[in-house]
Amino acid sequence: MRAFKHISRKENAEVARVFPHAHDYEWEEVGTYTAYPVSLWDRWAHEITDNVDDLLWGVTKEEEARRERCTIDLSKGIVSLFSIYKYNEHRQRFKRLASLEQLLEDIERQQYLPGDIFIPEIRTIYREGHDYTAWFFMEDGSALEKVKNMVERSGLKFIGSKNT
């Protein structure tokens, strides 16, 4: 079973009204979103040390697994709490989550949530990055309170914000 399924034209139009710039990652270019990155640390790794590789990867297997669990837990929390969509570039349409159970299994198996997740109810785009970092892209910060506790429970911290 696939985690996401195609939706009706009407539902697609409703989601597209919230995210009109989804096609071809235009939303990254339009300048209307603010990026709210979260990570293991409250600063960027290069602000902590000159030896970023050692900070990120010079740890025991147990510590590496603990760190990975933080972003995995956040992603699983996000997809479990909200109605989520993915954007299919090829078809230029949104797809809705069809099976939460399947998606959670996929995240556990892959140890990663690939692609951008569109969350209309809080007008947010979520992306799991690399180096133990995830991103919330919001038109304004009003939805931060809705994800703040989830971020903290996962063991991550907000780094700051920058406009995209």
Side-chain angles (χ1 to χ4, degrees):
M1 174 180 234
R2 294 183 182 203
F4 289 86
K5 72 175 187 176
H6 297 287
I7 57 177
S8 70
R9 288 178 191 228
K10 180 181 177 189
E11 184 177 2
N12 187 72
E14 291 169 1
V15 177
R17 275 194 290 280
V18 178
F19 301 107
H21 304 287
H23 176 65
D24 205 24
Y25 299 95
E26 284 180 11
W27 65 268
E28 292 180 328
E29 307 297 327
V30 295
T32 59
Y33 290 91
T34 300
Y36 296 93
V38 296
S39 186
L40 293 169
W41 305 281
D42 60 358
R43 299 179 280 165
W44 293 108
H46 72 274
E47 295 173 344
I48 297 171
T49 181
D50 291 331
N51 191 348
V52 172
D53 286 341
D54 191 51
L55 175 67
L56 293 174
W57 314 118
V59 296
T60 65
K61 292 284 185 200
E62 293 80 16
E63 175 60 13
E64 186 176 338
R66 184 198 68 78
R67 290 176 176 188
E68 288 176 358
R69 185 92 250 145
C70 292
T71 52
I72 290 167
D73 287 349
L74 178 59
S75 292
K76 288 173 72 174
I78 293 294
V79 303
S80 296
L81 183 63
F82 299 107
S83 296
I84 64 168
Y85 295 79
K86 287 193 126 191
Y87 188 75
N88 182 317
E89 276 296 332
H90 178 70
R91 294 181 184 244
Q92 298 184 10
R93 294 179 56 93
F94 288 94
K95 295 173 84 174
R96 179 175 19 94
L97 180 65
S99 172
L100 176 60
E101 184 177 315
Q102 182 64 54
L103 182 57
L104 294 175
E105 286 177 20
D106 291 348
I107 293 170
E108 281 296 328
R109 186 179 66 256
Q110 298 171 15
Q111 298 291 288
Y112 183 69
L113 175 63
D116 297 331
I117 299 296
F118 293 81
I119 313 168
E121 67 195 85
I122 59 172
R123 306 180 71 81
T124 298
I125 302 165
Y126 173 76
R127 175 187 291 161
E128 186 177 319
H130 55 83
D131 300 345
Y132 314 114
T133 304
W135 302 80
F136 294 94
F137 298 93
M138 301 177 180
E139 289 180 349
D140 62 56
S142 62
L144 281 175
E145 283 302 313
K146 294 184 169 131
V147 297
K148 183 180 177 189
N149 289 336
M150 195 177 312
V151 168
E152 291 171 357
R153 278 193 311 270
S154 70
L156 299 172
K157 300 173 177 86
F158 283 95
I159 295 174
S161 65
K162 70 176 187 82
N163 286 330
T164 62

